[in-house]
Amino acid sequence: MNIWTFLLTAFAFIGGWFIKKVFERALDKTIGKPVDELLESAFNTMQEYLSKNTPKEVKSKASEGDPEAQFNLGNMYYFGKIVKEDYEKAVKWWRKAAEQGHVEAQCNLAFMYYEGEGVAQDYEEAVKWYRKSAEQGDANAQLNLGFAYYEGEGVAQDYEEAVKWFRKAAEQGDASAQNNLGFAYEHGEGVAQDYEEAVKWWSKAARQGNEIAQNALKKRGETW
């Protein structure tokens, strides 16, 4: 084997190893926001509200300024329930409710800014509304605010702040937050590295069916 063949082989091996490690790291450290949970909660709330109010009543109450009706009318437009799907109108009605302090509407409005649905994408506005909701105790908002700090989206990256908000949501029983807190403890990000604490929080998440936490525990030979 000549020197050039050797070098090319070595570079290919090292490059493959590096890509493999990066991919393993990404799989091993899934920190994410519970978009599915947030939308599922909004959908279920809407279904329950519509079981007690006709669509006409929802629109009438929303127009009169009722924040719960405004929130659910926004849900109807977002999911295309009875009315035609319209993200801009969803944003309009969620904003009206959010400005009255409706905690779930604030969280949903933040989500729309984060994703750029029905409104121009704006991470800073997303953080603004997630914070308002999170400070009122909404676990979804707390988790998403933690995610924003973890990624440095809309705010300066700050692992300690990320852990602070993950913990608030985790202590309310949010499985995604518990999983994220577990990874923070394992890697020592925003908190002193502590494997036992990592397993503790992964186990809480795993018992709720969180597959990421379950896989993390299995990979490390732990049970829950």
Side-chain angles (χ1 to χ4, degrees):
M1 179 184 294
N2 63 42
I3 185 63
W4 294 112
T5 301
F6 172 78
L7 289 173
L8 286 172
T9 301
F11 284 141
F13 174 79
I14 293 170
W17 177 85
F18 177 76
I19 291 170
K20 181 173 182 289
K21 287 299 178 185
V22 169
F23 183 65
E24 287 177 349
R25 171 79 167 168
L27 286 179
D28 186 52
K29 190 179 177 190
T30 303
I31 301 287
K33 60 186 188 308
V35 173
D36 290 343
E37 294 173 25
L38 188 156
L39 295 180
E40 182 181 359
S41 174
F43 185 82
N44 291 338
T45 299
M46 176 192 67
Q47 293 285 74
E48 182 179 355
Y49 194 77
L50 284 171
S51 71
K52 301 173 183 176
N53 298 271
T54 67
K56 184 177 180 179
E57 288 173 331
V58 176
K59 290 183 178 180
S60 177
K61 289 179 180 180
S63 297
E64 291 170 1
D66 184 311
E68 190 65 23
Q70 292 170 340
F71 170 63
N72 282 289
L73 184 54
N75 290 341
M76 288 167 62
Y77 277 114
Y78 184 86
F79 293 108
K81 180 74 173 181
I82 302 172
V83 297
K84 183 179 179 180
E85 180 184 287
D86 189 324
Y87 288 167
E88 289 185 6
K89 287 184 178 179
V91 167
K92 168 188 171 181
W93 289 105
W94 282 341
R95 188 187 306 282
K96 287 180 181 291
E99 288 173 346
Q100 294 194 66
H102 192 289
V103 63
E104 292 171 284
Q106 291 171 341
C107 189
N108 285 14
L109 182 58
F111 165 76
M112 298 300 267
Y113 272 113
Y114 187 89
E115 297 294 331
E117 293 185 344
V119 69
Q121 188 175 53
D122 188 329
Y123 289 153
E124 290 185 7
E125 274 295 301
V127 167
K128 166 188 164 182
W129 288 105
Y130 275 137
R131 190 182 307 280
K132 287 179 181 293
S133 182
E135 288 175 348
Q136 291 197 70
D138 186 88
N140 273 322
Q142 290 168 346
L143 176 53
N144 280 282
L145 185 56
F147 177 80
Y149 274 110
Y150 185 86
E151 293 294 323
E153 294 177 334
V155 287
Q157 188 176 53
D158 188 329
Y159 289 154
E160 289 186 9
E161 277 294 303
V163 167
K164 166 188 167 181
W165 291 105
F166 286 156
R167 188 183 305 280
K168 286 180 181 291
E171 289 175 347
Q172 291 196 64
D174 187 285
S176 295
Q178 291 169 345
N179 170 66
N180 289 1
L181 196 52
F183 279 109
Y185 271 111
E186 188 196 38
H187 296 285
E189 292 180 334
V191 69
Q193 194 170 36
D194 188 326
Y195 183 72
E196 289 184 4
E197 278 292 301
V199 170
K200 165 188 162 182
W201 288 106
W202 278 332
S203 296
K204 288 178 181 288
R207 285 193 288 270
Q208 293 195 68
N210 186 284
E211 292 183 3
I212 299 171
Q214 291 174 350
N215 289 334
L217 291 168
K218 286 178 183 177
K219 184 176 180 180
R220 293 158 181 79
E222 301 283 355
T223 60
W224 60 91

